[in-house]
Amino acid sequence: MIALGRRLGYSGNLAVLLTTIVGTNIGYTALLPYLPRISERLGLSATELAIFLTGFAVTKILGQPVGGYLADSWGLRATALVGLVAAAIGMSFIIFADTAEPAILGRLIWGAADGVLTPVLYRSLTVISAEHGRDPTSGYAHLGSVAVLSFAGGPLVVGLVYPFADYPAVLAATALLTLVNALVAWVVLPDRARSVPPAEDVPAARSERLRPLLRAIAFFAIVDLFANLLWAAAEPLVPLYLARAYEDPTGRAAWVLGLGMLVFAAANQLLARVSDWWRLPRMASVGIAVLGVSCIALNAVAVLAWGLIGIAVFMVAQAYIYLIARRGIQQHGGGTGRAWGIFGMFGDTGLVLGSVIAVWLFEAFGTRAFSLLGVGALLVAAVLAATVRGLRPGPVPAAAPDRRVETQVS
């Protein structure tokens, strides 16, 4: 298994890593067009439907620190296998459910499994990059682009097959793909990350070493949380704004949001090529500030051309922050599974908070909601600029010859 991973080289290992998210992501968004059928078939109440939808995100948040711990304790390969198999099991619960309870349970299991898998992906990418002497930034860019495009692929798949395939068939196909990914990941991915403390590792020295790492993880987690919050807020606000201006906003909303996803995927690839100077921690405040300006611009989203320009700038800034935050965890936060798990837990919380805050702002302030978010982003950017000083590179694990890595954060 180790020899096969080496023979594949960097590109082959990266391809395997990227395919592990395709099945779960396509399955996640493929369910959305079927929600009326699912609700009718299972007899979901409004509360049960809300749990079915939001429960995935909540258990994914909770699963990430668990996945980070297991990645450092069990190893990357075993944890990836557990996460992918558990995701397929969660999908199976939904496929065979005739009532609300097993479907909701399956959705919660699936979300937790996705959370367990996330820190494994980032940790594996860091290890593979180190083993092959590559900058992991391009790998992070590929991972972000594939994630967004596979999310977009779910509704596209449904559009092609819905005349002759209901949601159990679509979900069964994605579950099968996920199991295939689990087998391939077990064969190819790096093995275990060992923790070997230095000889002078007394409690005082250990505390002194961990303090800057935790500060760095907290800084980049807040950056990612706020960027995710704005992204999640934009998704409902765009159609809500357009509904005030047009009788049927569906087409315009699809153009604006669809362009945004494509821009994010493309911008990741382009921004990964710029000098590392542009991805230093202090540049996070610049990215958040650009997000704030683009939010203010999106206040005029009812004018289609202005909306397309605004969402393009917004998504370029999102891609920029995505790369800065992940480079920061790898360079300043130690890059261990635990670091990625904590980072992901707080960062993904923004995806849950964003839509709630957006709906509340729109109900309370109407079409001033985007402007308020923009002003908030500018204030956050100022705070980040004032607190970034003092971050210094943490101990980044190097790859060992036997595909194991040494880490100083346990």
Side-chain angles (χ1 to χ4, degrees):
M1 290 187 293
I2 293 174
L4 176 59
R6 284 176 174 165
R7 286 200 303 270
L8 287 174
Y10 174 75
S11 297
N13 279 274
L14 180 61
V16 169
L17 198 65
L18 297 178
T19 57
T20 59
I21 63 174
V22 172
T24 56
N25 285 3
I26 288 178
Y28 177 84
T29 52
L31 277 187
L32 300 180
Y34 287 116
L35 282 178
R37 293 190 193 181
I38 294 172
S39 182
E40 182 180 356
R41 175 176 171 175
L42 303 180
L44 297 176
S45 66
T47 301
E48 289 169 335
L49 181 60
I51 296 173
F52 184 84
L53 290 173
T54 61
F56 181 99
V58 172
T59 55
K60 180 180 179 181
I61 289 169
L62 298 176
Q64 291 197 54
V66 176
Y69 173 81
L70 294 179
D72 289 341
S73 302
W74 290 6
L76 300 170
R77 202 180 281 161
T79 309
L81 181 69
V82 168
L84 289 165
V85 170
I89 291 172
M91 295 179 203
S92 299
F93 272 67
I94 301 172
I95 292 168
F96 296 107
D98 291 320
T99 58
E101 289 78 10
I104 291 173
L105 177 60
R107 185 78 165 170
L108 298 178
I109 293 172
W110 184 3
D114 210 39
V116 167
L117 182 63
T118 300
V120 176
L121 296 177
Y122 285 113
R123 181 73 180 109
S124 297
L125 199 156
T126 303
V127 173
I128 291 168
S129 299
E131 288 181 343
H132 295 276
R134 301 293 189 93
D135 181 357
T137 301
S138 63
Y140 301 145
H142 288 310
L143 190 61
S145 297
V146 169
V148 167
L149 293 176
S150 57
F151 276 131
L156 178 61
V157 168
V158 173
L160 295 173
V161 305
Y162 84 92
F164 48 88
D166 206 349
Y167 74 87
V170 174
L171 207 52
T174 58
L176 179 61
L177 176 59
T178 301
L179 289 175
V180 172
N181 289 337
L183 177 61
V184 175
W186 173 257
V187 172
V188 174
L189 286 187
D191 191 8
R192 179 184 297 274
R194 294 182 298 182
S195 178
V196 181
E200 70 276 11
D201 187 24
V202 296
R206 181 181 177 85
S207 174
E208 188 68 23
R209 198 170 60 249
L210 285 178
R211 193 175 296 116
L213 295 180
L214 294 175
R215 180 183 175 187
I217 293 168
F219 177 84
F220 292 110
I222 291 171
V223 169
D224 203 54
L225 183 153
F226 197 75
N228 286 342
L229 185 153
L230 292 177
W231 188 331
E235 290 177 340
L237 282 179
V238 166
L240 286 171
Y241 265 67
L242 291 172
R244 289 279 182 97
Y246 302 98
E247 183 176 347
D248 184 4
T250 306
R252 289 176 175 84
W255 274 106
V256 172
L257 296 176
L259 175 69
M261 296 179 77
L262 293 176
V263 168
F264 178 85
N268 258 314
Q269 305 305 311
L270 296 174
L271 292 172
R273 300 173 184 272
V274 304
S275 167
D276 275 349
W277 186 90
W278 293 97
R279 292 187 294 271
L280 291 175
R282 64 174 176 265
M283 301 306 291
S285 60
V286 176
I288 295 292
V290 174
L291 275 181
V293 172
S294 60
C295 278
I296 295 171
L298 282 170
N299 219 51
V301 70
V303 180
L304 182 59
W306 193 245
L308 294 176
I309 294 171
I311 201 68
V313 175
F314 180 86
M315 284 304 193
V316 169
Q318 285 283 352
Y320 186 46
I321 294 166
Y322 169 88
L323 294 176
I324 290 173
R326 280 142 190 84
R327 181 187 182 278
I329 291 297
Q330 190 262 333
Q331 291 284 338
H332 299 267
T336 62
R338 289 174 174 85
W340 286 114
I342 296 170
F343 167 79
M345 177 181 69
F346 286 101
D348 278 12
T349 300
L351 296 174
V352 176
L353 296 176
S355 56
V356 175
I357 291 173
V359 172
W360 176 79
L361 285 175
F362 192 79
E363 289 181 351
F365 302 100
T367 53
R368 288 177 289 175
F370 261 131
S371 294
L372 293 172
L373 285 173
V375 172
L378 293 174
L379 293 175
V380 170
V383 173
L384 291 174
T387 58
V388 70
R389 294 171 184 167
L391 289 183
R392 62 178 186 266
V396 180
D402 65 346
R403 294 179 63 82
R404 295 170 183 265
V405 294
E406 305 293 330
T407 176
Q408 295 185 30
V409 181
S410 59

